[in-house]
Amino acid sequence: MAKKRSSGDEPITIKKYANRRLYNTATSSYVTLDHLSEMVKQNQDFVVVDAKSGDDITRSVLTQIIFEEEAKGDQNLLPIRFMRQLIKYYGDSMQGVVPGFLEMSLENFSKEQERVRNRIASAVGEDRIAAIEEQVRDNITALENAVRSINPFSSADQPARPSAAKKASADDEAEQEIEDLQKQVQEMQRQLDALSRKKKK
């Protein structure tokens, strides 16, 4: 597929037809979900619109790409525990802050990924374990700080002097959130380690 981009900084428009076919208006060719996946990896920005209604359906198509990747089963990125936790947030009072938190976490991880890969790939034996453990600690610290920054119990609309019972309950819930996120980060590190071992074979 030709790597062509629309003029200026505008994202490429992908049209989806009733027969589920996807049409790249920049290359004037039909594409597949695999093509769109590659475009994402190559940092090519695009929007997907319904060819009939003109509605923006980018979110649903990206979700479908993730579903297809997870269904392959050879290298899952979303741990079951993480997905269960994510589902719990739908309709929850925290739902509004979760997208921003996840986006920020992935951006930070993306910035660090090259350094992480180099450290883990070059380490062996105990040094390798130490490198992974250090990265886990760094990620946990970053997540803890992020969770504290979005803790709804610290918002301005809360009472100025909450009772001791309410404060204790809020602290317990915040600590539980942090603990869950710590476990998710550790699971991500285990998968990263497994991926690194596969690449070395």
Side-chain angles (χ1 to χ4, degrees):
M1 182 178 65
K3 297 180 182 178
K4 187 177 179 182
R5 187 177 178 82
S6 57
S7 60
D9 294 328
E10 292 297 316
I12 295 170
T13 297
I14 308 293
K15 292 184 177 180
K16 186 175 183 180
Y17 291 90
N19 58 6
R20 297 186 178 181
R21 297 192 72 183
L22 299 162
Y23 184 77
N24 187 329
T25 59
T27 60
S28 299
S29 61
Y30 286 99
V31 295
T32 64
L33 289 178
D34 286 338
H35 288 142
L36 296 188
S37 179
E38 281 302 314
M39 289 175 68
V40 171
K41 294 173 183 178
Q42 294 169 13
N43 294 320
Q44 291 183 288
D45 193 15
F46 62 84
V47 294
V48 185
V49 298
D50 185 284
K52 184 176 181 180
S53 67
D55 293 340
D56 187 332
I57 56 173
T58 307
R59 180 186 298 274
S60 64
V61 171
L62 292 177
T63 302
Q64 188 177 356
I65 291 174
I66 293 173
F67 174 80
E68 294 287 343
E69 292 291 339
E70 287 291 312
K72 292 176 182 178
D74 56 341
Q75 206 172 88
N76 303 110
L77 289 181
L78 302 177
I80 291 178
R81 180 181 178 84
F82 172 81
M83 290 190 288
R84 290 183 188 278
Q85 190 68 29
L86 194 60
I87 290 171
K88 289 179 182 179
Y89 281 122
Y90 284 100
D92 186 86
S93 59
M94 289 283 286
Q95 181 173 343
V97 298
V98 170
F101 170 75
L102 292 178
E103 186 174 14
M104 178 181 62
S105 298
L106 280 176
E107 284 180 356
N108 290 336
F109 184 79
S110 179
K111 291 176 184 177
E112 291 291 316
Q113 67 179 355
E114 197 60 39
R115 184 172 69 88
V116 172
R117 285 173 179 167
N118 292 337
R119 288 175 58 192
I120 294 179
S122 62
V124 293
E126 293 183 3
D127 289 338
R128 184 183 183 82
I129 295 174
I132 294 174
E133 289 178 342
E134 183 179 348
Q135 187 59 43
V136 169
R137 286 194 295 270
D138 290 346
N139 286 348
I140 287 174
T141 299
L143 285 171
E144 287 176 340
N145 291 336
V147 169
R148 290 193 183 98
S149 71
I150 64 173
N151 182 4
F153 301 106
S154 64
S155 61
D157 58 351
Q158 294 295 314
R161 294 182 181 179
S163 67
K166 287 185 178 179
K167 186 176 185 301
S169 176
D171 290 342
D172 288 343
E173 290 190 34
E175 288 177 6
Q176 183 61 49
E177 293 291 338
I178 292 173
E179 182 180 346
D180 289 341
L181 289 168
Q182 288 173 344
K183 291 177 181 178
Q184 291 165 19
V185 171
Q186 290 168 351
E187 178 64 25
M188 290 172 64
Q189 290 299 327
R190 282 194 291 271
Q191 292 185 8
L192 185 62
D193 188 36
L195 176 60
S196 181
R197 285 199 299 270
K198 285 183 180 179
K199 287 183 177 179
K200 278 183 168 291
K201 291 182 180 179

